[in-house]
Amino acid sequence: MFRFLFYPANLLIDSLEGVGRYVELMASMFRSIFSWHKYLSLTIDHLFHIGVLSIPIVILTSLFSGMVTSVQAAYQFESGFVPNWFVGSIVGESVLLELAPMMTALVMTGRIGATIAAEIGTMRVSEQIDALESLSFDPVSFLILPRILAAAIMFPVLIIIADCFGIIGGLFAAVNAMDVSSLEFIRGLRNWFRPFDAWFGLIKGLFFGVAITSIACYQGYYTSGGATGVGKSTTATVVISCVAIVFLDYILAAILL
Amino acid sequence: MIEVKNLSKSFGEKGVLSDLNFSVSHGQSVAIVGKSGAGKSVLLKCLIGLVKPDEGTIYVDNKLINSMNFGQLQEIRSNIGMVFQFGALFDSMTVGENISLALQKLTKLSSDEIKERVYNSLEEVDMVNTEDLMPSELSGGMKKRVGIARAIAIKPAYLFYDEPTTGLDPVMTDSINRLILKFQDTGEVTSVIITHEMRTVYDVADRVLLLHGGEIWFDGRPEEIKNSDDLVVQQFVTGNSTLV
Ligand SMILES: Nc1ncnc2c1ncn2[C@@H]1O[C@H](COP(=O)(O)OP(=O)(O)O)[C@@H](O)[C@H]1O
Ligand SMILES: [Mg+2]
């Protein structure tokens, strides 16, 4: 009857247990990291699935987020106090520091995180993971290591692509929506450009990539309860990844900026 | 030779196996029967170290499974072929890749020899020329047969089958029973067959264990289980739910 009173306590215990198992899983993955060369061909497969196939959606989202930044900057400049060419600076800074890594991470949570959780979760409930193990494979290094490696490699690459297209989108919108020539836009861009901002975005991308894929692998690996279980793991992956991304975003900014 | 002593396993509050003792000698084919949820699959998974028992010891070839690290388990497992209930084929790989995966890892065969071994394994289960199909293109019975081909490809000394005939039509059931018998008749294989089909028991087993309430309720020859007057055994053998 008073079970609901214990609900917060149980929730806390469950989440701590989850964190413990997550750390354990990551530790056993890192133990096999020195045999990464054995999983090279698998990693290359995932480089393709995680990286190459995501390029169109990354281009699309970064293009539009760059454009919208430009339009909103122009809207705020209407007062006339700020010279119009500043729009290049605003777009450059926002895209490199925040928009490209963040938008890419959120889109990839949906595209990659959910896929990985569903894939590995299905393998769990259909006993494919048991089968792997019975055939003397280490499922952790076979399934998880290549995916996380691939994400660690591909996310920074995707961020670079998002950076470029975000800025192109901003430039396009600025030239079309307000009285800024492309030369002026580029002047604004270069005026405020700090190389560290670009690096910072890449570092964020690396962390986001590892966070998304490791959360997805963890959720998939510990799936139970048939098809419903796979659904739950997928949902949990998306929710937890989004929270982890904004949390990491803050932590990294606080530490590195 | 498999020896199980005082094996107990529970999940949380729920006891599944309590204090099991039995052994399987070389060349035997043992059927383990019991109702759904009796813990048959859990027992089988304990035998290859996929599930860690809470208590008790399991010896395979006089080696203690419980306390093995991953490397030692790998060695034991390379001698055990496991056939999963629904095949458990890797659905991102073709039939051929499913079978060759373990061969590449566990044997030193050349790629031509592997190809030949894959072909022969598929031939054994009457599934030639399916190497390039994906598991999603196969029926339930075909999946099970490919699962068997994958298990026998490494030429194991032990074959564990988890409900190899459940949910199949009578003809397919018979053909799978014959397959199991065929591997058994080589005299080099020790089989453990989980099932709840009495027909499979009579056809292929030379000993049968009935798992009931987490314990081994009956241990004897298939003819004996048929004639047992114990009610729990009778209920299972005749499928009459009103007996107990
Ligand atoms: N990983 C697990 N976690 C919790 N409970 C489990 C797990 N595996 C099996 N069980 C429970 O153990 C019992 C026996 O399962 P199982 O061995 O699969 O039965 P069956 O005899 O039909 O093969 C079931 O009630 C099941 O719910
Ligand atoms: Mg079962």
Side-chain angles (χ1 to χ4, degrees):
Chain A
M1 181 176 168
F2 290 107
R3 266 177 62 188
F4 67 94
L5 286 178
F6 296 112
Y7 180 70
N10 285 338
L11 197 66
L12 184 69
I13 292 169
D14 284 353
S15 22
L16 285 179
E17 246 174 34
V19 171
R21 279 190 303 178
Y22 172 82
V23 172
E24 206 179 332
L25 190 68
M26 290 306 113
S28 56
M29 185 206 76
F30 275 112
R31 243 173 271 141
S32 56
I33 207 161
F34 293 108
S35 46
W36 58 272
H37 49 274
K38 282 194 225 155
Y39 304 99
L40 199 60
S41 67
L42 285 170
T43 308
I44 290 170
D45 277 353
H46 291 298
L47 283 178
F48 183 71
H49 284 284
I50 294 179
V52 180
L53 294 182
S54 300
I55 290 176
I57 182 86
V58 166
I59 290 180
L60 202 67
T61 47
S62 55
L63 203 61
F64 279 99
S65 42
M67 284 163 75
V68 93
T69 316
S70 209
V71 171
Q72 289 182 353
Y75 173 70
Q76 285 168 338
F77 289 176
E78 266 175 3
S79 58
F81 292 120
V82 187
N84 268 353
W85 56 265
F86 260 63
V87 69
S89 321
I90 305 268
V91 168
E93 285 285 281
S94 343
V95 166
L96 292 182
L97 274 179
E98 188 64 27
L99 278 176
M102 196 67 166
M103 291 303 285
T104 306
L106 292 177
V107 167
M108 294 297 276
T109 300
R111 210 192 99 79
I112 297 304
T115 310
I116 291 178
E119 266 172 12
I120 298 185
T122 306
M123 292 188 74
R124 167 61 75 194
V125 299
S126 62
E127 295 187 310
Q128 290 176 51
I129 293 185
D130 286 333
L132 264 183
E133 210 171 320
S134 81
L135 293 171
S136 298
F137 284 83
D138 177 3
V140 175
S141 26
F142 192 80
L143 296 174
I144 301 182
L145 183 67
R147 288 180 164 85
I148 294 186
L149 272 182
I153 296 168
M154 278 326 269
F155 264 66
V157 176
L158 291 174
I159 304 290
I160 294 176
I161 294 172
D163 284 343
C164 298
F165 281 87
I167 289 171
I168 292 173
L171 173 72
F172 175 79
V175 172
N176 275 293
M178 53 197 286
D179 234 3
V180 186
S181 73
S182 43
L183 276 181
E184 276 177 317
F185 183 92
I186 289 166
R187 173 176 160 215
L189 191 64
R190 295 178 64 164
N191 217 20
W192 276 13
F193 177 75
R194 285 172 297 188
F196 178 72
D197 295 350
W199 283 112
F200 181 62
L202 296 190
I203 293 169
K204 286 214 288 200
L206 178 69
F207 275 84
F208 290 166
V210 172
I212 293 168
T213 41
S214 63
I215 290 169
C217 289
Y218 163 78
Q219 288 291 340
Y221 197 76
Y222 286 108
T223 300
S224 61
T228 339
V230 176
K232 277 189 194 149
S233 301
T234 313
T235 312
T237 299
V238 174
V239 173
I240 297 173
S241 296
C242 289
V243 176
I245 288 165
V246 287
F247 178 74
L248 273 177
D249 198 29
Y250 168 71
I251 296 285
L252 289 172
I255 293 175
L256 292 176
L257 285 188
Chain B
M1 170 89 171
I2 303 170
E3 263 186 295
V4 175
K5 287 185 187 144
N6 307 106
L7 173 67
S8 296
K9 176 73 192 172
S10 47
F11 292 101
E13 308 271 282
K14 189 168 186 252
V16 179
L17 305 173
S18 64
D19 203 19
L20 296 192
N21 288 285
F22 66 92
S23 59
V24 179
S25 46
H26 180 78
Q28 234 177 5
S29 94
V30 177
I32 299 178
V33 298
K35 285 191 258 192
S36 282
K40 305 181 297 288
S41 299
V42 172
L43 174 58
L44 203 60
K45 283 179 187 173
C46 284
L47 296 185
I48 57 169
L50 285 173
V51 172
K52 295 263 170 293
D54 300 334
E55 269 170 60
T57 52
I58 298 166
Y59 289 91
V60 175
D61 284 342
N62 295 318
K63 288 181 205 119
L64 182 65
I65 296 274
N66 313 61
S67 57
M68 283 188 171
N69 63 28
F70 189 77
Q72 293 166 318
L73 268 180
Q74 273 185 318
E75 211 180 301
I76 286 281
R77 284 171 181 159
S78 65
N79 215 5
I80 300 177
M82 173 102 176
V83 179
F84 287 87
Q85 186 165 357
F86 300 101
L89 303 181
F90 308 121
D91 36 39
S92 58
M93 300 178 194
T94 64
V95 167
E97 288 166 345
N98 261 283
I99 299 172
S100 59
L101 190 68
L103 293 173
Q104 285 161 357
K105 167 132 194 205
L106 295 173
T107 64
K108 294 204 160 41
L109 300 177
S110 71
S111 66
D112 281 343
E113 288 167 322
I114 286 182
K115 233 182 214 156
E116 199 184 314
R117 186 76 81 83
V118 170
Y119 182 87
N120 291 338
S121 309
L122 284 171
E123 197 176 30
E124 292 269 21
V125 298
D126 207 10
M127 290 277 293
V128 282
N129 296 326
T130 54
E131 280 97 333
D132 296 326
L133 296 180
M134 297 304 284
S136 55
E137 297 171 273
L138 306 178
S139 71
M142 290 162 97
K143 278 184 192 162
K144 280 195 180 171
R145 283 195 283 174
V146 173
I148 294 176
R150 184 172 70 182
I152 59 165
I154 55 172
K155 298 204 186 295
Y158 294 92
L159 272 169
F160 295 168
Y161 304 85
D162 194 348
E163 309 212 3
T165 54
T166 304
L168 300 181
D169 62 76
V171 180
M172 183 63 83
T173 300
D174 186 63
S175 90
I176 292 211
N177 288 346
R178 281 172 201 279
L179 275 179
I180 299 175
L181 265 183
K182 183 170 78 179
F183 304 133
Q184 192 59 35
D185 282 346
T186 57
E188 286 148 21
V189 180
T190 307
S191 312
V192 177
I193 305 131
I194 283 184
T195 182
H196 51 226
E197 311 247 336
M198 291 315 289
R199 163 130 183 249
T200 301
V201 175
Y202 301 139
D203 282 359
V204 303
D206 42 44
R207 182 174 153 209
V208 49
L209 306 176
L210 172 68
L211 209 58
H212 181 78
E215 293 168 26
I216 292 178
W217 196 270
F218 176 92
D219 180 353
R221 300 187 57 78
E223 306 88 73
E224 291 167 2
I225 201 170
K226 220 184 265 185
N227 304 323
S228 164
D229 44 18
D230 183 280
L231 281 185
V232 171
V233 176
Q234 272 297 309
Q235 181 188 38
F236 197 86
V237 172
T238 59
N240 182 341
S241 64
T242 61
L243 284 180
V244 183

